[in-house]
Amino acid sequence: MKVAKFGGSSLADAIHIKQVCDIIDQDSERHIIVVSAPGKRYSDDSKVTDLLINLAKERLAGTDYNPSLLAVFERFEIIANDLSISEAMDSIKKKISTVASAPYTDEIKYLDSVKAMGEDCSAVILAAYLNSIGRKAKYCNPKDCGLILEHDEVGKAIIIDESYENLAKLANEDALCIFPGFFGYNSKGEIITFSRGGSDITGSVLAGAVMATVYENWTDVDNVFAVNPSIVKNPFPITEITYDEMRELAYAGFSVLHEEALFPVYKRGIPVNIKNTNNPSAKGTTIVSKRTHYDSLVTGIAGEKGFCTVTINKYLMNRQVGFLLGLLTIFAQEGVSIEHIPSGIDSVTLIVRKKYFTPEKEQIIVSRIKSELSVESVHVERDLAIVMIVGQAMANSVGIMARAASALGNAGINLKIVNQGASEISLMFGVSEAYCSYAVKALYKELFKL
Ligand code: ASP
């Protein structure tokens, strides 16, 4: 049994929805279909989720949200008319207006409930259309199916384990299960959404629950590429990649799947196949636990801006028992998570993300380090980009670090930090933000021998 998740571009209009139905028809193993909200039809179009967010914000601000409500109706109306299922619009309009006008006490929960309507109505439409063309399909409500979520201490939606048992029952359904992505319910029956792009997580959870043979993630590109195509034209395609490689690349900015989507399938060893709805015969990229082949020594190169370094110097640091513990405790108490810790004999650098290490936090943390740990100096740099070279095959080969470092040196890029991951599947460089794309390009040119 396969779980297939279709992204917003695959549900953006009737033509794409018909393509989705053809894909479903081509393989009887595709039993559970997870859908996103309709995405953009052209580059400056709006995603339905963004229209819904506008609507909810207008209501919360006490302004007139009717034009936004009509814009959402119009998107679904065009799709329903083009699929000749306009009768589905009554229930869609009712669902959205009821949620939009519902009384609320908690603004975040209200926003979540409105945001979820994009996926919910997308699933209603797809199920209605499949039935209208003679397929047996069932719209699956996440509440009835038992997808239970709750918020953790930082407000992130997490899945309650019991959900897996509940959702496993979908494997016994006769009809095709059409399941809306992106949201579930808490134990009080209130809607909770994942963060943006979260339908990927729903698909992964369902694949895990029914122990699918594969989790198909249908999008609008033939492959994942070895490097961001907006930095390098026509980059090398990745046909196969491990979960670990994918995780490292995602960390440094690859935005193929939602960051949290890999875990449920990774834990159960279910492969993920990223495919193109507009070109279903392309093999796509498969994410696996063990590689079957290597097309290249390096699998991918990624770069991400938005990091800071905090370097602490203290004479005889290595002799003071508990120094690092004290340092890390300060960051923990101030709620700033630490990404990497390269260190020297009398110095240590903590790499943190700018979005958590705000200027206000910087002030508090630096003054606490100075007063509580009596250090020689603390130096903060706020413009670091992390560039990663990732590849399982690198573990057994010699000289990649030398080639990478000289490529960056020849390009005139100063390396602020160099770190080889303990796993040996990645090399990490810290460079000034201004050089991020330039560094990715130079490394790609060297390591993919162009
Ligand atoms: N529709 C949501 C978003 O635009 C979730 C998703 O598509 O995965 O972020």
Side-chain angles (χ1 to χ4, degrees):
M1 173 174 305
K2 296 180 180 174
V3 170
K5 179 254 163 179
F6 290 88
S9 55
S10 308
L11 279 311
D13 54 28
I15 296 177
H16 283 92
I17 294 178
K18 287 181 182 169
Q19 280 174 352
V20 166
C21 295
D22 288 343
I23 291 168
I24 296 172
D25 270 350
Q26 277 155 17
D27 188 342
S28 58
E29 297 248 310
R30 293 185 180 121
H31 178 66
I32 299 178
I33 312 299
V34 178
V35 291
S36 279
K40 293 183 179 191
R41 294 159 292 183
Y42 39 87
S43 62
D44 53 359
D45 195 15
S46 301
K47 292 180 173 188
V48 165
T49 306
D50 289 317
L51 296 176
L52 288 163
I53 292 172
N54 288 345
L55 181 166
K57 287 189 173 158
E58 285 159 3
R59 164 99 197 277
L60 290 172
T63 53
D64 180 15
Y65 65 88
N66 269 306
S68 295
L69 185 63
L70 294 178
V72 175
F73 285 173
E74 198 196 345
R75 279 300 302 270
F76 284 113
E77 219 146 31
I78 293 173
I79 297 174
N81 287 343
D82 289 350
L83 293 173
S84 310
I85 48 161
S86 39
E87 63 287 354
M89 278 314 292
D90 289 344
S91 77
I92 286 175
K93 282 187 177 168
K94 199 166 157 209
K95 256 181 200 265
I96 303 174
S97 344
T98 309
V99 171
S101 61
Y104 62 87
T105 46
D106 180 326
E107 295 197 352
I108 293 184
K109 282 185 182 151
Y110 171 73
L111 193 62
D112 275 4
S113 66
V114 176
K115 265 195 289 187
M117 288 304 106
E119 272 65 15
D120 204 38
C121 297
S122 223
V124 169
I125 293 240
L126 182 60
Y129 179 64
L130 281 163
N131 283 310
S132 79
I133 56 169
R135 311 290 181 281
K136 212 171 148 201
K138 181 182 165 190
Y139 154 80
C140 296
N141 184 308
K143 191 188 214 166
D144 302 337
C145 299
L147 175 50
I148 312 168
L149 306 178
E150 70 179 23
H151 281 127
D152 69 3
E153 63 286 352
V154 289
K156 205 178 87 191
I158 50 170
I159 299 137
I160 302 303
D161 275 350
E162 151 196 354
S163 300
Y164 286 95
E165 230 169 272
N166 300 338
L167 296 168
K169 296 181 191 122
L170 289 176
N172 306 325
E173 284 283 349
D174 286 343
L176 269 168
C177 301
I178 313 297
F179 202 102
F182 193 36
F183 73 98
Y185 287 80
N186 65 14
S187 52
K188 291 190 207 139
E190 297 160 325
I191 287 181
I192 296 188
T193 57
F194 294 113
S195 53
R196 295 298 303 262
S199 300
D200 285 344
I201 310 176
T202 312
S204 180
V205 169
L206 283 162
V210 300
M211 281 306 290
T213 47
V214 60
Y215 168 31
E216 291 181 335
N217 195 288
W218 291 83
T219 173
D220 51 10
V221 287
D222 279 354
N223 286 95
V224 179
F225 294 103
V227 71
N228 186 338
S230 68
I231 299 179
V232 174
K233 262 198 198 139
N234 299 322
F236 197 78
I238 300 178
T239 57
E240 191 181 66
I241 182 169
T242 64
Y243 302 113
D244 294 341
E245 289 174 309
M246 196 66 203
R247 163 85 187 108
E248 303 246 0
L249 286 168
Y251 175 80
F254 260 45
S255 55
V256 181
L257 279 182
H258 190 290
E259 221 199 335
E260 293 153 46
L262 273 186
F263 191 63
V265 280
Y266 163 81
K267 237 176 115 181
R268 296 164 179 83
I270 299 168
V272 182
N273 191 192
I274 296 171
K275 301 266 292 172
N276 188 355
T277 302
N278 303 315
N279 184 15
S281 60
K283 281 207 157 60
T285 299
T286 311
I287 310 175
V288 291
S289 49
K290 266 209 176 87
R291 294 283 290 255
T292 58
H293 67 280
Y294 293 100
D295 298 325
S296 52
L297 189 57
V298 168
T299 305
I301 301 171
E304 175 141 278
K305 297 179 182 173
F307 293 86
C308 305
T309 53
V310 185
T311 302
I312 296 106
N313 281 290
K314 181 175 170 70
Y315 195 61
L316 295 179
M317 180 188 282
N318 59 332
R319 299 263 184 93
Q320 188 179 328
V321 175
F323 177 81
L324 276 181
L325 178 64
L327 182 62
L328 300 187
T329 305
I330 294 176
F331 279 81
Q333 286 170 348
E334 299 302 333
V336 175
S337 104
I338 295 163
E339 308 283 326
H340 304 276
I341 318 183
S343 65
I345 303 171
D346 284 339
S347 67
V348 60
T349 298
L350 305 186
I351 301 179
V352 289
R353 286 196 192 249
K354 260 190 211 173
K355 63 177 173 195
Y356 306 125
F357 193 66
T358 56
E360 299 74 52
K361 284 278 175 201
E362 174 181 335
Q363 224 185 358
I364 300 170
I365 291 178
V366 169
S367 80
R368 281 194 61 187
I369 295 174
K370 285 183 177 160
S371 65
E372 294 172 31
L373 301 174
S374 61
V375 297
E376 253 70 65
S377 68
V378 184
H379 178 69
V380 175
E381 275 197 50
R382 297 197 64 88
D383 76 330
L384 190 80
I386 297 282
V387 177
M388 305 265 274
I389 303 172
V390 177
Q392 188 103 53
M394 296 196 308
N396 304 316
S397 38
V398 179
I400 308 241
M401 174 63 96
R403 282 172 62 192
S406 64
L408 292 172
N410 292 338
I413 299 169
N414 177 27
L415 297 182
K416 298 184 180 215
I417 287 164
V418 176
N419 194 6
Q420 170 162 345
S423 59
E424 272 197 77
I425 70 163
S426 68
L427 295 176
M428 188 194 98
F429 299 101
V431 300
S432 165
E433 278 189 343
Y435 291 124
C436 184
S437 306
Y438 190 41
V440 169
K441 228 187 241 174
L443 290 170
Y444 181 78
K445 222 167 151 191
E446 167 61 32
L447 298 169
F448 286 83
K449 274 295 171 221
L450 299 173

